[in-house]
Amino acid sequence: MSESPVAVNDRLRDLHAMWRIRALEEKVRDLRLEELIVGSVHLSNGQESIAVAACSELRPQDALYATYRGHGWAVARGVPPRNILAELLARSTGVNGGRGGSAHFSAPEFGFHGENSIVGAGAPTAVGAALAARYDGSGRVAVSVFGDGAMNQGAVTEAMNFAAAFGLGVIFICENNRYSELTPINDMVANPDLSQRATALGIPAVRVDGNDLSQVRTAMSLSVASAAAGRGPSFIEAHTQRIVGHYIGDAEQYRPAGELDADMIVEPIARLARELETAGVGRHAIDRCEARARDEIERAASQALADPLVDPSTAKEHLYA
C-alpha cells in the first residue's frame, strides 16, 4: 500500500532536515581541515535522526542542553546555520559573537542552551533548569543529551537521582553510538542495557532504534507530555552510530573490519531514502532534499566567511566569576 501524500511530504521533510545537519557537519569538517576553524571539533554524522525527531516534539519554552557533539542539535532546534558557522569561524556574527567556538556555543533564544566540553556536565545543568521551572511559571521541560560514555560519569547519575527524587521535568537522552570516545561501551560496562540504570533510580526508561525517526519521536512525545504534566523525568536510550571519527583526525583504528560499511547501510539518511524509494517516491524528490540542504549550507558558509572576525579585545566580555 502506497503512503498518503501527507505522509510522504512529512518524511521528505525529515530527510531534508537530516541532510541540513549532515551538510553542515561536512562543511565544518572541510573548514577545520583548511584550518579556518581551529580547536577540537566533534561531528554527529550518522546520528541526525535523533536530533531531528526529538526536537520536533519540543516547544518554544523548552530548554535543550547538548553534548559537545551538538551542532546537529542546534540546527534541529532552529539555530540558523550561518550563525553556527560564524561562531565556529570566530566571526562577530556568531551566536556568541565568535567567543564560544565549537565546544561552548549556545543560542538560548532558540531554546538551545549550549554544548559542554565536560562529559556529562549538561545533565545537572538541565536539572537546574527543570527545578527553576517549578517556580518561574514557564512550564519548561528540560532536555539533557549525552553519549554512552557519559553514563559512567558520577554527575549524570547524581543528576538523574536528583530529578527522580524531586519529580523534575527532565528528559535524559543517551545517544548510544557504541563508542565512548575510542573505546567500545561493551568493554566498559557489565550490563550493556544503559536504560536499566535509570529504571533503578525510579525513572521510566525506554530503549529505541535511534535511526528510526518514528520510534524516537514517539518516545520523545510521551516524555515531553509526562514532564509537562508534572510526572517527573524520563530516560531515552537511542541506539545509533557515528560514521565519522570521534574527532576530526581520528584514525579510527579501533573499528573492526567491515563495521563502517555496515553502518553506512543502516545510518538514518540512507535508511529513510531507501524506504521512500520503496514506497514509490521518485528519485528526483529524494535527491532534491540533499541538493536543497547543501545549497543552503554553502550559502551560509560563504556568508559567514565574509563576516568580520571577532575583535580580540572583547575576549573577556561576558565572563563571570
Side-chain angles (χ1 to χ4, degrees):
M1 182 181 295
S2 61
E3 296 187 59
S4 70
V6 172
V8 167
N9 286 336
D10 287 344
R11 301 185 81 191
L12 285 171
R13 186 160 44 248
D14 283 340
L15 183 62
H16 175 246
M18 289 194 292
W19 266 120
R20 292 180 75 231
I21 297 173
R22 179 73 58 84
L24 179 127
E25 295 287 54
E26 291 180 353
K27 176 55 66 174
V28 169
R29 175 202 61 201
D30 293 345
L31 293 170
R32 178 65 185 89
L33 292 174
E34 294 173 33
E35 298 187 347
L36 294 169
I37 292 175
V38 298
S40 184
V41 175
H42 303 80
L43 307 178
S44 62
N45 305 45
Q47 303 181 188
E48 297 89 353
S49 52
I50 303 173
V52 167
C55 287
S56 71
E57 298 302 315
L58 292 180
R59 306 160 305 166
Q61 71 267 35
D62 295 333
L64 171 65
Y65 297 82
T67 177
Y68 50 72
R69 200 179 306 280
H71 306 153
W73 284 93
V75 173
R77 197 67 176 111
V79 184
R82 173 183 179 177
N83 301 103
I84 296 173
L85 289 167
E87 183 61 34
L88 274 56
L89 288 161
R91 264 48 182 188
S92 61
T93 53
V95 288
N96 304 122
R99 301 178 185 87
S102 175
H104 298 100
F105 79 89
S106 63
E109 65 272 29
F110 292 94
F112 181 78
H113 292 264
E115 303 183 317
N116 200 308
S117 281
I118 302 174
V119 176
T125 312
V127 169
L131 179 61
R134 176 164 290 177
Y135 302 101
D136 65 16
S138 65
R140 175 193 313 114
V141 169
V143 180
S144 174
V145 183
F146 45 82
D148 46 281
M151 289 295 293
N152 294 328
Q153 295 291 322
V156 173
T157 300
E158 292 171 21
M160 290 196 299
N161 182 65
F162 192 98
F166 290 90
L168 301 179
V170 188
I171 302 170
F172 299 98
I173 301 177
C174 175
E175 295 179 296
N176 188 341
N177 63 18
R178 302 194 308 259
Y179 286 102
S180 303
E181 294 190 358
L182 316 181
T183 306
I185 183 63
N186 288 345
D187 290 348
M188 300 176 64
V189 299
N191 182 359
D193 186 346
L194 302 179
S195 69
Q196 288 187 12
R197 299 196 199 179
T199 303
L201 294 170
I203 299 175
V206 63
R207 303 177 89 194
V208 299
D209 179 353
N211 296 338
D212 186 327
L213 289 125
S214 63
Q215 286 192 35
V216 178
R217 191 168 272 131
T218 297
M220 193 65 179
S221 176
L222 292 172
S223 295
V224 171
S226 179
R231 292 194 291 270
S234 301
F235 184 96
I236 301 170
E237 180 183 353
H239 286 258
T240 185
Q241 66 295 298
R242 53 173 167 80
I243 56 175
V244 292
H246 172 67
Y247 55 88
I248 293 178
D250 179 4
E252 302 183 70
Q253 294 177 329
Y254 47 85
R255 288 190 188 271
E259 179 185 80
L260 188 56
D261 290 336
D263 285 347
M264 293 298 289
I265 296 173
V266 300
E267 62 91 2
I269 289 179
R271 173 175 173 167
L272 182 52
R274 190 166 57 247
E275 291 174 354
L276 284 165
E277 200 163 17
T278 300
V281 179
R283 194 69 224 184
H284 173 75
I286 296 170
D287 291 343
R288 177 66 178 153
C289 293
E290 176 182 359
R292 286 170 50 218
R294 291 197 180 280
D295 179 65
E296 177 192 2
I297 299 305
E298 285 297 329
R299 285 186 284 107
S302 295
Q303 292 168 338
L305 285 165
D307 290 337
L309 287 164
V310 62
D311 181 353
S313 69
T314 67
K316 293 184 179 180
E317 294 180 4
H318 307 287
L319 295 179
Y320 301 91

